[in-house]
Amino acid sequence: MMRLRFLVPLLGFSSLLVVACSGDDPSDTDGEGGGAGEGPAPVGGDAGGGGEGGGSCTLESTGTLVIEVSGLPDDVDPEVIIEGPDELLVSQANDSFEGVTSGAYTATASRVFDADPTVRTVFDATVTLPDFTLCDGSSHTIKVSYEAIPSSNKLWMPTGLDEEGAGFASELLGASGTTDASVSIDGGIGKSIAFDRDGNLWTLGPTLDFPHVLRFPAAQLGTSGAREPDVSFNVPEVECLPAMRSLAFDAEGNLWLSVCGDSVLRIPAADLTGVEGEKEADVLLAGLTENDGLAFDKAGNLWVGGGPSIARYDAARLGDITAEPADLLLTVADDIAGLKASNLTFDKAGNLWGTDFGANRVFQIADSDLAGTGERNVVANVSIEIGVTALLNQPAFDDGNGLWLGLNAGFIGRFSPEQLGSSTASGAARTPELIIETSSVDSLIPVAFFPAPEGLPLYHSIPVE
């Protein structure tokens, strides 16, 4: 079989036609009207955008393929793969070409995304009639419709107001100023949030009136209003109060929960379905001290903050029913005093960042200091005192390597990469280069982007490494 790839110049929303040279004869698809033979029905005549001309179907020569792409901005290319006797990779658009080897084909389209300095828009595709047979002399049209995932291109957070969540579109995040959220969702969003790879928002119930864990589908996150979760459940192992602290996904899509009782639990990915009910944990990490924030590094190791030390549990042990004690306990200080990491995140270089609520500081532990086992003392590579009043919670890096944080009530801030490159001197402080004032949020705000930037060890980083 001859396999070919084509890249043709972009014309935005216009039709595109792709062709391959003829190759070996296809398999013995019947081709006599779609009833008796194996494989997809042949294309002939002018049937609903399928084929034009060609008469009776023979599978011994060539035909023409036409691909119509809609829903993408002019500066975003599609990604369509057509597999059969010839293989075609379509990433741009142009006029028609003839000469595609006749036979049975399948067309698939991958998600694509734009370029954005803060957070990208992600587009998912639907292919109309993806399975078809191309006959001798016929022309077949493949229609590919792209649509933006509604939760993408936004900075998200629980608001701390009336169990709501808020999303701020990227266009609002480019400069300091006063603005309202682009989207406000009323339905029970609180304490901590995380996204899966489809852009669904996972959160912890904000009060005892809600289940422990809720999921709001991405399709509901494009406009404001009251929303109902499509997945919600309690975890029977959690019997104390306040029950839930934070949540995070590992690279396989398992959901990890930091909960009361000095414990961290894992809910397997296969169980993260169902409108309501209970989900039992399959992994329990116990004996932690003041556990709070969760983060995974690129090797799949789990890091837990909140206590006097940052705990690391190695990936090789996380499938065990219990994996305590931790493989590494890091006690962190800077030139001034000890630091306590309530919440954690990694940057693209593999450095670990923490927020110290009491000291009003954000700090970095260098990747080179994260190895080893046992108990170790390390000095923060970067330690920054924040020059505004702040009630720090979970931070998030954007596509431009800036770090976003909820500050005090009604304020969100971004430290630029340059600001994150050095520590503040003793007695000095640093104000985020960009501050958004808004009546849409209160305080103690954890923040998250969908999608997460490429290269971060987050489940919803796109593309996946």
Side-chain angles (χ1 to χ4, degrees), residues 110-130:
S110 301
R111 67 171 33 170
V112 295
F113 46 85
D114 64 0
D116 190 280
T118 305
V119 54
R120 296 160 292 165
T121 303
V122 182
F123 300 86
D124 274 344
T126 300
V127 180
T128 301
L129 299 175

mmCIF file of all heavy atoms in Angstrom, residues 110-130:
data_model
loop_
_atom_site.group_PDB
_atom_site.id
_atom_site.type_symbol
_atom_site.label_atom_id
_atom_site.label_comp_id
_atom_site.label_asym_id
_atom_site.label_seq_id
_atom_site.Cartn_x
_atom_site.Cartn_y
_atom_site.Cartn_z
ATOM 1 N N SER A 110 -8.424 15.990 14.511
ATOM 2 C CA SER A 110 -7.903 16.192 15.858
ATOM 3 C C SER A 110 -8.250 17.581 16.368
ATOM 4 O O SER A 110 -8.489 18.511 15.588
ATOM 5 C CB SER A 110 -6.382 16.009 15.869
ATOM 6 O OG SER A 110 -6.026 14.727 15.431
ATOM 7 N N ARG A 111 -8.269 17.711 17.714
ATOM 8 C CA ARG A 111 -8.464 19.040 18.287
ATOM 9 C C ARG A 111 -7.272 19.928 17.960
ATOM 10 O O ARG A 111 -6.135 19.461 17.815
ATOM 11 C CB ARG A 111 -8.674 18.959 19.789
ATOM 12 C CG ARG A 111 -7.489 18.496 20.587
ATOM 13 C CD ARG A 111 -7.682 18.634 22.089
ATOM 14 N NE ARG A 111 -9.043 18.448 22.533
ATOM 15 C CZ ARG A 111 -9.398 18.345 23.803
ATOM 16 N NH1 ARG A 111 -8.474 18.394 24.759
ATOM 17 N NH2 ARG A 111 -10.661 18.191 24.148
ATOM 18 N N VAL A 112 -7.533 21.207 17.819
ATOM 19 C CA VAL A 112 -6.505 22.194 17.524
ATOM 20 C C VAL A 112 -6.691 23.375 18.465
ATOM 21 O O VAL A 112 -7.694 23.467 19.179
ATOM 22 C CB VAL A 112 -6.572 22.653 16.050
ATOM 23 C CG1 VAL A 112 -6.256 21.495 15.109
ATOM 24 C CG2 VAL A 112 -7.943 23.236 15.713
ATOM 25 N N PHE A 113 -5.743 24.279 18.464
ATOM 26 C CA PHE A 113 -5.824 25.419 19.373
ATOM 27 C C PHE A 113 -5.103 26.601 18.757
ATOM 28 O O PHE A 113 -4.263 26.457 17.874
ATOM 29 C CB PHE A 113 -5.229 25.080 20.740
ATOM 30 C CG PHE A 113 -3.910 24.366 20.668
ATOM 31 C CD1 PHE A 113 -2.722 25.074 20.551
ATOM 32 C CD2 PHE A 113 -3.861 22.981 20.702
ATOM 33 C CE1 PHE A 113 -1.509 24.421 20.463
ATOM 34 C CE2 PHE A 113 -2.651 22.314 20.623
ATOM 35 C CZ PHE A 113 -1.475 23.037 20.505
ATOM 36 N N ASP A 114 -5.466 27.794 19.241
ATOM 37 C CA ASP A 114 -4.845 29.007 18.725
ATOM 38 C C ASP A 114 -3.618 29.352 19.559
ATOM 39 O O ASP A 114 -3.210 28.597 20.448
ATOM 40 C CB ASP A 114 -5.853 30.160 18.691
ATOM 41 C CG ASP A 114 -6.345 30.560 20.082
ATOM 42 O OD1 ASP A 114 -5.904 29.945 21.082
ATOM 43 O OD2 ASP A 114 -7.164 31.485 20.178
ATOM 44 N N ALA A 115 -3.027 30.493 19.271
ATOM 45 C CA ALA A 115 -1.935 31.032 20.073
ATOM 46 C C ALA A 115 -2.477 32.189 20.897
ATOM 47 O O ALA A 115 -3.241 33.019 20.392
ATOM 48 C CB ALA A 115 -0.791 31.504 19.172
ATOM 49 N N ASP A 116 -2.141 32.222 22.184
ATOM 50 C CA ASP A 116 -2.622 33.296 23.047
ATOM 51 C C ASP A 116 -1.568 33.519 24.125
ATOM 52 O O ASP A 116 -1.011 32.556 24.654
ATOM 53 C CB ASP A 116 -3.958 32.911 23.689
ATOM 54 C CG ASP A 116 -4.619 34.081 24.394
ATOM 55 O OD1 ASP A 116 -4.224 34.400 25.542
ATOM 56 O OD2 ASP A 116 -5.534 34.689 23.809
ATOM 57 N N PRO A 117 -1.268 34.777 24.457
ATOM 58 C CA PRO A 117 -0.219 35.029 25.451
ATOM 59 C C PRO A 117 -0.600 34.608 26.862
ATOM 60 O O PRO A 117 0.277 34.448 27.713
ATOM 61 C CB PRO A 117 -0.014 36.545 25.364
ATOM 62 C CG PRO A 117 -1.306 37.068 24.828
ATOM 63 C CD PRO A 117 -1.807 36.013 23.890
ATOM 64 N N THR A 118 -1.907 34.414 27.119
ATOM 65 C CA THR A 118 -2.350 34.069 28.471
ATOM 66 C C THR A 118 -2.932 32.666 28.533
ATOM 67 O O THR A 118 -2.453 31.808 29.265
ATOM 68 C CB THR A 118 -3.377 35.092 28.981
ATOM 69 O OG1 THR A 118 -2.814 36.402 28.900
ATOM 70 C CG2 THR A 118 -3.761 34.790 30.420
ATOM 71 N N VAL A 119 -3.991 32.401 27.754
ATOM 72 C CA VAL A 119 -4.613 31.074 27.751
ATOM 73 C C VAL A 119 -5.296 30.874 26.405
ATOM 74 O O VAL A 119 -6.011 31.740 25.912
ATOM 75 C CB VAL A 119 -5.604 30.906 28.930
ATOM 76 C CG1 VAL A 119 -6.651 32.004 28.958
ATOM 77 C CG2 VAL A 119 -6.256 29.537 28.908
ATOM 78 N N ARG A 120 -5.081 29.721 25.795
ATOM 79 C CA ARG A 120 -5.525 29.460 24.428
ATOM 80 C C ARG A 120 -6.993 29.043 24.354
ATOM 81 O O ARG A 120 -7.587 28.627 25.348
ATOM 82 C CB ARG A 120 -4.660 28.350 23.816
ATOM 83 C CG ARG A 120 -3.202 28.709 23.667
ATOM 84 C CD ARG A 120 -2.337 27.476 23.543
ATOM 85 N NE ARG A 120 -2.327 26.719 24.794
ATOM 86 C CZ ARG A 120 -1.903 25.472 24.920
ATOM 87 N NH1 ARG A 120 -1.458 24.815 23.839
ATOM 88 N NH2 ARG A 120 -1.919 24.861 26.095
ATOM 89 N N THR A 121 -7.543 29.141 23.144
ATOM 90 C CA THR A 121 -8.840 28.553 22.825
ATOM 91 C C THR A 121 -8.602 27.191 22.194
ATOM 92 O O THR A 121 -7.760 27.052 21.305
ATOM 93 C CB THR A 121 -9.638 29.432 21.858
ATOM 94 O OG1 THR A 121 -9.801 30.733 22.422
ATOM 95 C CG2 THR A 121 -11.013 28.838 21.582
ATOM 96 N N VAL A 122 -9.341 26.190 22.641
ATOM 97 C CA VAL A 122 -9.220 24.828 22.124
ATOM 98 C C VAL A 122 -10.448 24.517 21.287
ATOM 99 O O VAL A 122 -11.584 24.797 21.701
ATOM 100 C CB VAL A 122 -9.087 23.800 23.266
ATOM 101 C CG1 VAL A 122 -8.904 22.396 22.707
ATOM 102 C CG2 VAL A 122 -7.921 24.173 24.169
ATOM 103 N N PHE A 123 -10.238 23.926 20.119
ATOM 104 C CA PHE A 123 -11.327 23.598 19.197
ATOM 105 C C PHE A 123 -11.393 22.083 19.013
ATOM 106 O O PHE A 123 -10.397 21.443 18.668
ATOM 107 C CB PHE A 123 -11.101 24.266 17.834
ATOM 108 C CG PHE A 123 -11.031 25.764 17.875
ATOM 109 C CD1 PHE A 123 -9.830 26.413 18.135
ATOM 110 C CD2 PHE A 123 -12.164 26.529 17.657
ATOM 111 C CE1 PHE A 123 -9.756 27.791 18.172
ATOM 112 C CE2 PHE A 123 -12.109 27.918 17.685
ATOM 113 C CZ PHE A 123 -10.903 28.555 17.944
ATOM 114 N N ASP A 124 -12.575 21.524 19.223
ATOM 115 C CA ASP A 124 -12.822 20.113 18.942
ATOM 116 C C ASP A 124 -13.593 19.981 17.633
ATOM 117 O O ASP A 124 -14.358 20.873 17.249
ATOM 118 C CB ASP A 124 -13.603 19.453 20.071
ATOM 119 C CG ASP A 124 -12.689 18.946 21.178
ATOM 120 O OD1 ASP A 124 -11.479 18.827 20.935
ATOM 121 O OD2 ASP A 124 -13.189 18.657 22.285
ATOM 122 N N ALA A 125 -13.422 18.833 16.948
ATOM 123 C CA ALA A 125 -13.966 18.667 15.598
ATOM 124 C C ALA A 125 -14.998 17.556 15.540
ATOM 125 O O ALA A 125 -14.932 16.570 16.274
ATOM 126 C CB ALA A 125 -12.847 18.367 14.619
ATOM 127 N N THR A 126 -15.951 17.721 14.625
ATOM 128 C CA THR A 126 -16.907 16.681 14.257
ATOM 129 C C THR A 126 -16.796 16.466 12.754
ATOM 130 O O THR A 126 -16.833 17.418 11.976
ATOM 131 C CB THR A 126 -18.345 17.096 14.600
ATOM 132 O OG1 THR A 126 -18.438 17.337 16.008
ATOM 133 C CG2 THR A 126 -19.340 16.005 14.203
ATOM 134 N N VAL A 127 -16.649 15.189 12.360
ATOM 135 C CA VAL A 127 -16.559 14.846 10.940
ATOM 136 C C VAL A 127 -17.881 14.251 10.498
ATOM 137 O O VAL A 127 -18.354 13.269 11.080
ATOM 138 C CB VAL A 127 -15.421 13.845 10.681
ATOM 139 C CG1 VAL A 127 -15.345 13.497 9.190
ATOM 140 C CG2 VAL A 127 -14.095 14.409 11.175
ATOM 141 N N THR A 128 -18.503 14.834 9.476
ATOM 142 C CA THR A 128 -19.730 14.294 8.910
ATOM 143 C C THR A 128 -19.399 13.103 8.002
ATOM 144 O O THR A 128 -18.536 13.200 7.138
ATOM 145 C CB THR A 128 -20.460 15.376 8.096
ATOM 146 O OG1 THR A 128 -20.745 16.485 8.953
ATOM 147 C CG2 THR A 128 -21.764 14.844 7.529
ATOM 148 N N LEU A 129 -20.058 11.976 8.230
ATOM 149 C CA LEU A 129 -19.849 10.763 7.436
ATOM 150 C C LEU A 129 -18.361 10.435 7.320
ATOM 151 O O LEU A 129 -17.781 10.476 6.225
ATOM 152 C CB LEU A 129 -20.468 10.916 6.046
ATOM 153 C CG LEU A 129 -21.986 11.148 6.007
ATOM 154 C CD1 LEU A 129 -22.446 11.396 4.586
ATOM 155 C CD2 LEU A 129 -22.714 9.965 6.619
ATOM 156 N N PRO A 130 -17.724 10.076 8.418
ATOM 157 C CA PRO A 130 -16.268 9.851 8.380
ATOM 158 C C PRO A 130 -15.852 8.598 7.623
ATOM 159 O O PRO A 130 -14.707 8.525 7.164
ATOM 160 C CB PRO A 130 -15.902 9.734 9.864
ATOM 161 C CG PRO A 130 -17.166 9.284 10.531
ATOM 162 C CD PRO A 130 -18.281 9.940 9.782
#
